[in-house]
Amino acid sequence: MIPSPLSSVTLDGRDFLIKRDDLIDPYLAGNKYRKLYTLIKTPKERYRKLISYGGTQSNAMLALAALCKEKEWSFQYFTKPLSERQKGEASGNYALARSLGMEHYEIPHEYYKERVASLRFNLDESTIVVDQGGAAHLAKEGLEQLACEIKEINSDIRSVATPSGTGTTALYLALALPEYRVYTTPSVGDALYLKEQMRVLEMIPKNLIILEPEKKYPFGKPNREFYEIYQKLLACEIEFDLLYAPLMWKMLLEQTSEPILYIHSGGVSGNASMLERYKALI
Ligand SMILES: *Cc1c(COP(=O)(O)O)cnc(C)c1O
Protein backbone atom coordinates (compact mmCIF):
# COMPACT_ATOMS: atom_id res chain seq x y z
CA MET A 1 0.00 0.00 0.00
CA ILE A 2 1.12 3.57 -0.70
CA PRO A 3 1.38 5.65 2.50
CA SER A 4 -1.44 8.20 2.94
CA PRO A 5 -0.29 11.74 2.09
CA LEU A 6 0.68 14.57 4.46
CA SER A 7 -0.60 18.15 4.67
CA SER A 8 0.28 21.00 6.96
CA VAL A 9 -1.91 23.67 8.53
CA THR A 10 -1.24 26.72 10.67
CA LEU A 11 -3.77 27.11 13.42
CA ASP A 12 -3.60 29.88 16.04
CA GLY A 13 -0.04 30.54 14.92
CA ARG A 14 1.08 26.93 15.35
CA ASP A 15 2.12 24.59 12.55
CA PHE A 16 0.66 21.10 12.51
CA LEU A 17 1.44 18.20 10.23
CA ILE A 18 -1.57 16.12 9.19
CA LYS A 19 -1.60 12.52 8.08
CA ARG A 20 -4.39 12.40 5.53
CA ASP A 21 -5.97 9.03 6.20
CA ASP A 22 -9.24 10.70 5.19
CA LEU A 23 -8.06 10.60 1.57
CA ILE A 24 -7.61 6.82 1.40
CA ASP A 25 -11.13 6.15 0.05
CA PRO A 26 -14.45 8.05 -0.02
CA TYR A 27 -16.18 5.69 2.46
CA LEU A 28 -13.63 3.21 3.72
CA ALA A 29 -11.19 5.74 5.09
CA GLY A 30 -9.67 7.23 8.22
CA ASN A 31 -9.18 5.03 11.22
CA LYS A 32 -11.92 2.66 10.02
CA TYR A 33 -9.68 1.79 7.09
CA ARG A 34 -6.83 1.08 9.50
CA LYS A 35 -9.05 -0.88 11.88
CA LEU A 36 -10.53 -2.99 9.09
CA TYR A 37 -7.22 -3.47 7.26
CA THR A 38 -7.04 -7.17 8.12
CA LEU A 39 -10.51 -7.75 6.65
CA ILE A 40 -9.73 -5.60 3.61
CA LYS A 41 -6.84 -7.92 2.86
CA THR A 42 -8.95 -11.05 3.41
CA PRO A 43 -9.82 -12.84 0.13
CA LYS A 44 -13.48 -12.34 -0.74
CA GLU A 45 -14.04 -16.12 -0.95
CA ARG A 46 -13.36 -16.41 2.80
CA TYR A 47 -16.79 -15.04 3.84
CA ARG A 48 -20.26 -14.59 2.45
CA LYS A 49 -21.84 -12.54 5.19
CA LEU A 50 -20.76 -9.91 7.71
CA ILE A 51 -22.86 -8.98 10.74
CA SER A 52 -22.37 -5.93 12.93
CA TYR A 53 -24.31 -3.65 15.25
CA GLY A 54 -24.16 -0.16 16.79
CA GLY A 55 -25.19 3.41 16.00
CA THR A 56 -26.89 4.50 12.81
CA GLN A 57 -24.70 7.60 12.29
CA SER A 58 -21.62 5.50 12.77
CA ASN A 59 -18.61 5.82 10.49
CA ALA A 60 -17.80 2.17 11.20
CA MET A 61 -21.18 1.17 9.74
CA LEU A 62 -20.46 3.03 6.51
CA ALA A 63 -16.94 1.62 6.27
CA LEU A 64 -18.31 -1.92 6.74
CA ALA A 65 -20.97 -1.30 4.10
CA ALA A 66 -18.28 -0.19 1.64
CA LEU A 67 -16.10 -3.17 2.54
CA CYS A 68 -18.96 -5.66 2.04
CA LYS A 69 -19.93 -4.08 -1.26
CA GLU A 70 -16.38 -4.45 -2.51
CA LYS A 71 -16.13 -8.05 -1.29
CA GLU A 72 -19.65 -8.98 -2.43
CA TRP A 73 -20.51 -10.07 1.12
CA SER A 74 -24.02 -9.45 2.41
CA PHE A 75 -24.07 -7.00 5.30
CA GLN A 76 -26.56 -7.21 8.16
CA TYR A 77 -26.53 -4.33 10.63
CA PHE A 78 -28.47 -4.29 13.90
CA THR A 79 -29.43 -1.11 15.73
CA LYS A 80 -31.92 0.24 18.24
CA PRO A 81 -35.04 1.75 16.63
CA LEU A 82 -34.42 4.74 14.37
CA SER A 83 -36.13 8.10 14.71
CA GLU A 84 -38.41 9.16 11.87
CA ARG A 85 -36.04 12.05 11.17
CA GLN A 86 -33.14 9.68 10.63
CA LYS A 87 -35.12 7.31 8.44
CA GLY A 88 -36.01 10.17 6.15
CA GLU A 89 -32.50 11.59 5.82
CA ALA A 90 -31.32 11.70 2.23
CA SER A 91 -27.69 12.30 3.14
CA GLY A 92 -25.23 11.14 5.78
CA ASN A 93 -23.85 7.78 6.73
CA TYR A 94 -27.13 5.90 7.11
CA ALA A 95 -28.40 6.84 3.65
CA LEU A 96 -25.00 6.07 2.11
CA ALA A 97 -24.71 2.70 3.82
CA ARG A 98 -28.20 1.74 2.65
CA SER A 99 -27.30 2.73 -0.88
CA LEU A 100 -24.28 0.39 -0.65
CA GLY A 101 -26.58 -2.52 0.15
CA MET A 102 -26.69 -2.62 3.94
CA GLU A 103 -29.57 -4.70 5.33
CA HIS A 104 -30.74 -2.85 8.42
CA TYR A 105 -32.56 -4.43 11.36
CA GLU A 106 -34.10 -2.42 14.17
CA ILE A 107 -34.32 -4.11 17.55
CA PRO A 108 -36.64 -2.78 20.26
CA HIS A 109 -34.70 -1.23 23.16
CA GLU A 110 -35.77 -3.90 25.63
CA TYR A 111 -34.35 -6.76 23.52
CA TYR A 112 -31.29 -5.01 22.11
CA LYS A 113 -28.64 -6.26 24.54
CA GLU A 114 -29.88 -9.80 24.40
CA ARG A 115 -30.06 -9.84 20.60
CA VAL A 116 -26.54 -8.43 20.22
CA ALA A 117 -25.20 -11.00 22.67
CA SER A 118 -26.76 -13.75 20.58
CA LEU A 119 -25.38 -12.66 17.19
CA ARG A 120 -22.59 -15.21 17.39
CA PHE A 121 -24.85 -18.16 18.16
CA ASN A 122 -24.91 -20.89 15.51
CA LEU A 123 -22.66 -19.04 13.09
CA ASP A 124 -21.37 -20.90 10.09
CA GLU A 125 -17.81 -20.60 8.77
CA SER A 126 -18.76 -18.14 6.05
CA THR A 127 -20.14 -15.50 8.43
CA ILE A 128 -18.13 -13.02 10.49
CA VAL A 129 -19.41 -10.79 13.32
CA VAL A 130 -17.65 -7.47 13.75
CA ASP A 131 -18.19 -5.78 17.11
CA GLN A 132 -19.40 -2.20 17.50
CA GLY A 133 -16.91 0.39 16.28
CA GLY A 134 -14.91 -2.11 14.22
CA ALA A 135 -13.46 -5.19 15.82
CA ALA A 136 -10.77 -4.50 18.37
CA HIS A 137 -8.65 -7.62 17.83
CA LEU A 138 -8.75 -7.11 14.07
CA ALA A 139 -7.49 -3.53 14.45
CA LYS A 140 -3.92 -4.23 15.51
CA GLU A 141 -2.38 -5.03 12.13
CA GLY A 142 -3.74 -1.94 10.36
CA LEU A 143 -2.58 0.36 13.13
CA GLU A 144 0.88 -1.19 13.06
CA GLN A 145 0.88 -0.38 9.37
CA LEU A 146 -0.01 3.23 10.18
CA ALA A 147 2.79 3.31 12.78
CA CYS A 148 5.28 2.17 10.12
CA GLU A 149 4.16 4.96 7.83
CA ILE A 150 4.58 7.48 10.66
CA LYS A 151 8.12 6.29 11.43
CA GLU A 152 9.06 6.77 7.80
CA ILE A 153 8.09 10.45 7.80
CA ASN A 154 11.15 12.60 7.51
CA SER A 155 10.53 14.88 10.50
CA ASP A 156 11.61 15.48 14.11
CA ILE A 157 8.03 15.41 15.36
CA ARG A 158 7.62 12.87 18.15
CA SER A 159 4.04 13.64 19.24
CA VAL A 160 0.99 12.35 17.40
CA ALA A 161 -2.69 12.92 18.11
CA THR A 162 -5.93 11.19 17.22
CA PRO A 163 -9.37 11.39 18.88
CA SER A 164 -10.99 8.43 20.65
CA GLY A 165 -14.38 6.80 20.66
CA THR A 166 -13.68 3.30 21.92
CA GLY A 167 -9.98 4.15 22.18
CA THR A 168 -8.97 1.21 19.99
CA THR A 169 -7.13 3.38 17.46
CA ALA A 170 -5.17 5.46 19.98
CA LEU A 171 -4.30 2.40 22.08
CA TYR A 172 -2.89 0.23 19.29
CA LEU A 173 -1.13 3.22 17.77
CA ALA A 174 0.54 4.04 21.10
CA LEU A 175 1.60 0.41 21.51
CA ALA A 176 3.13 0.40 18.04
CA LEU A 177 4.90 3.77 18.58
CA PRO A 178 6.67 3.48 21.96
CA GLU A 179 9.15 6.22 21.05
CA TYR A 180 6.34 8.74 20.38
CA ARG A 181 3.79 10.43 22.61
CA VAL A 182 0.26 9.61 21.48
CA TYR A 183 -2.34 12.18 22.54
CA THR A 184 -6.03 11.39 22.50
CA THR A 185 -9.22 12.73 24.00
CA PRO A 186 -12.44 11.03 25.15
CA SER A 187 -15.34 11.93 22.86
CA VAL A 188 -17.80 9.54 24.51
CA GLY A 189 -17.80 9.74 28.32
CA ASP A 190 -14.81 10.81 30.41
CA ALA A 191 -11.16 9.71 30.64
CA LEU A 192 -11.96 7.08 33.26
CA TYR A 193 -14.51 5.43 31.00
CA LEU A 194 -12.10 5.56 28.06
CA LYS A 195 -9.38 3.89 30.10
CA GLU A 196 -11.77 1.16 31.19
CA GLN A 197 -12.58 0.42 27.56
CA MET A 198 -8.91 0.37 26.60
CA ARG A 199 -7.93 -1.92 29.48
CA VAL A 200 -10.31 -4.57 28.17
CA LEU A 201 -8.04 -4.77 25.11
CA GLU A 202 -4.48 -4.26 26.41
CA MET A 203 -2.45 -2.64 29.19
CA ILE A 204 -2.37 1.12 28.61
CA PRO A 205 1.21 2.15 27.77
CA LYS A 206 2.83 5.21 29.40
CA ASN A 207 3.24 7.06 26.10
CA LEU A 208 -0.55 7.28 25.66
CA ILE A 209 -1.76 10.59 27.05
CA ILE A 210 -5.45 11.36 27.48
CA LEU A 211 -6.26 15.07 27.31
CA GLU A 212 -9.53 15.79 29.05
CA PRO A 213 -11.72 18.89 28.69
CA GLU A 214 -12.77 20.84 31.79
CA LYS A 215 -16.32 20.93 30.54
CA LYS A 216 -18.42 18.00 29.31
CA TYR A 217 -19.43 17.92 25.64
CA PRO A 218 -22.25 15.38 25.18
CA PHE A 219 -21.35 13.11 22.25
CA GLY A 220 -23.07 14.03 19.01
CA LYS A 221 -24.71 17.17 20.38
CA PRO A 222 -24.08 20.23 18.20
CA ASN A 223 -22.22 23.04 19.97
CA ARG A 224 -20.86 26.35 18.83
CA GLU A 225 -17.25 25.83 19.94
CA PHE A 226 -16.93 22.68 17.83
CA TYR A 227 -18.43 24.43 14.85
CA GLU A 228 -15.94 27.29 15.15
CA ILE A 229 -12.97 24.91 15.19
CA TYR A 230 -14.45 22.99 12.25
CA GLN A 231 -14.75 26.26 10.30
CA LYS A 232 -11.21 27.35 11.19
CA LEU A 233 -9.83 24.06 9.87
CA LEU A 234 -12.02 24.29 6.79
CA ALA A 235 -10.47 27.70 6.11
CA CYS A 236 -7.13 25.83 6.03
CA GLU A 237 -8.71 23.71 3.28
CA ILE A 238 -9.07 20.50 5.26
CA GLU A 239 -12.43 19.19 6.33
CA PHE A 240 -12.59 17.24 9.59
CA ASP A 241 -15.52 15.38 11.12
CA LEU A 242 -17.81 17.20 13.54
CA LEU A 243 -18.10 14.43 16.12
CA TYR A 244 -14.54 13.65 17.18
CA ALA A 245 -12.01 16.04 15.66
CA PRO A 246 -13.10 19.41 17.13
CA LEU A 247 -12.53 18.33 20.74
CA MET A 248 -9.14 16.83 19.90
CA TRP A 249 -8.06 20.04 18.21
CA LYS A 250 -9.34 22.13 21.10
CA MET A 251 -7.36 20.05 23.61
CA LEU A 252 -4.20 20.23 21.49
CA LEU A 253 -4.44 24.00 21.23
CA GLU A 254 -5.14 24.42 24.95
CA GLN A 255 -2.96 21.75 26.53
CA THR A 256 0.08 21.15 24.31
CA SER A 257 2.81 23.35 22.86
CA GLU A 258 5.17 21.07 20.93
CA PRO A 259 4.98 20.23 17.20
CA ILE A 260 2.32 17.63 16.50
CA LEU A 261 1.39 15.16 13.80
CA TYR A 262 -2.42 14.90 13.70
CA ILE A 263 -3.79 11.65 12.32
CA HIS A 264 -6.94 12.56 10.37
CA SER A 265 -9.36 9.84 11.46
CA GLY A 266 -11.82 10.37 8.58
CA GLY A 267 -15.57 10.50 9.16
CA VAL A 268 -16.23 13.48 6.92
CA SER A 269 -19.09 11.65 5.16
CA GLY A 270 -21.11 11.96 8.37
CA ASN A 271 -20.95 15.75 8.24
CA ALA A 272 -23.87 16.15 5.83
CA SER A 273 -26.38 14.96 8.40
CA MET A 274 -24.54 16.67 11.29
CA LEU A 275 -24.53 20.01 9.46
CA GLU A 276 -28.32 19.69 9.06
CA ARG A 277 -28.53 19.50 12.84
CA TYR A 278 -26.12 22.42 13.24
CA LYS A 279 -28.46 24.64 11.24
CA ALA A 280 -30.62 25.08 14.32
CA LEU A 281 -27.62 26.44 16.24
CA ILE A 282 -26.05 28.84 13.74
C1 LIG B 1 -14.62 5.89 14.79
C2 LIG B 1 -13.96 7.22 14.82
C3 LIG B 1 -13.11 7.61 15.88
C4 LIG B 1 -12.92 6.76 17.11
O1 LIG B 1 -12.12 5.63 16.92
P1 LIG B 1 -11.87 4.58 18.08
O2 LIG B 1 -10.91 3.61 17.55
O3 LIG B 1 -13.20 3.94 18.39
O4 LIG B 1 -11.37 5.32 19.28
C5 LIG B 1 -12.46 8.82 15.79
N1 LIG B 1 -12.65 9.65 14.72
C6 LIG B 1 -13.48 9.32 13.72
C7 LIG B 1 -13.69 10.30 12.61
C8 LIG B 1 -14.15 8.11 13.72
O5 LIG B 1 -14.98 7.79 12.70
Side-chain angles (χ1 to χ4, degrees), residues 60-245:
M61 169 193 71
L62 179 61
L64 286 170
L67 171 75
C68 290
K69 170 113 184 148
E70 195 183 297
K71 299 281 184 190
E72 298 170 33
W73 299 339
S74 66
F75 176 35
Q76 300 186 337
Y77 193 70
F78 293 82
T79 73
K80 290 177 185 167
L82 241 63
S83 68
E84 286 307 314
R85 174 179 59 76
Q86 265 196 312
K87 270 186 203 163
E89 269 170 9
S91 61
N93 289 348
Y94 179 69
L96 282 169
R98 288 300 297 263
S99 76
L100 292 170
M102 176 178 80
E103 299 164 31
H104 174 224
Y105 300 92
E106 289 172 84
I107 323 260
H109 288 274
E110 59 270 37
Y111 303 124
Y112 184 74
K113 247 181 138 170
E114 218 178 308
R115 187 74 186 86
V116 161
S118 71
L119 287 175
R120 284 193 170 82
F121 291 175
N122 299 319
L123 281 190
D124 59 66
E125 280 282 290
S126 66
T127 303
I128 181 170
V129 178
V130 173
D131 285 314
Q132 177 157 18
H137 60 285
L138 285 170
K140 198 170 174 202
E141 188 186 3
L143 287 157
E144 285 172 353
Q145 169 68 28
L146 172 59
C148 286
E149 291 179 27
I150 291 169
K151 287 182 204 169
E152 279 163 17
I153 297 171
N154 189 10
S155 145
D156 297 334
I157 298 180
R158 285 295 172 271
S159 297
V160 304
T162 200
S164 279
T166 62
T168 311
T169 304
L171 177 64
Y172 284 118
L173 193 59
L175 286 165
L177 287 174
E179 60 278 57
Y180 289 68
R181 272 167 207 259
V182 175
Y183 288 114
T184 194
T185 192
S187 308
V188 189
D190 58 8
L192 210 64
Y193 176 68
L194 179 59
K195 282 187 196 161
E196 269 173 33
Q197 282 187 291
M198 288 177 174
R199 275 197 205 102
V200 174
L201 304 174
E202 303 270 351
M203 286 251 291
I204 302 173
K206 286 209 170 57
N207 62 321
L208 179 64
I209 299 159
I210 299 175
L211 304 176
E212 200 172 20
E214 279 165 24
K215 195 178 123 182
K216 279 206 162 58
Y217 296 90
F219 186 62
K221 187 163 177 263
N223 82 76
R224 206 172 295 269
E225 283 173 80
F226 283 10
Y227 190 72
E228 279 167 15
I229 293 178
Y230 165 80
Q231 285 293 343
K232 254 200 233 182
L233 289 160
L234 205 56
C236 302
E237 294 180 357
I238 303 185
E239 185 171 14
F240 285 86
D241 83 284
L242 280 156
L243 283 174
Y244 298 94

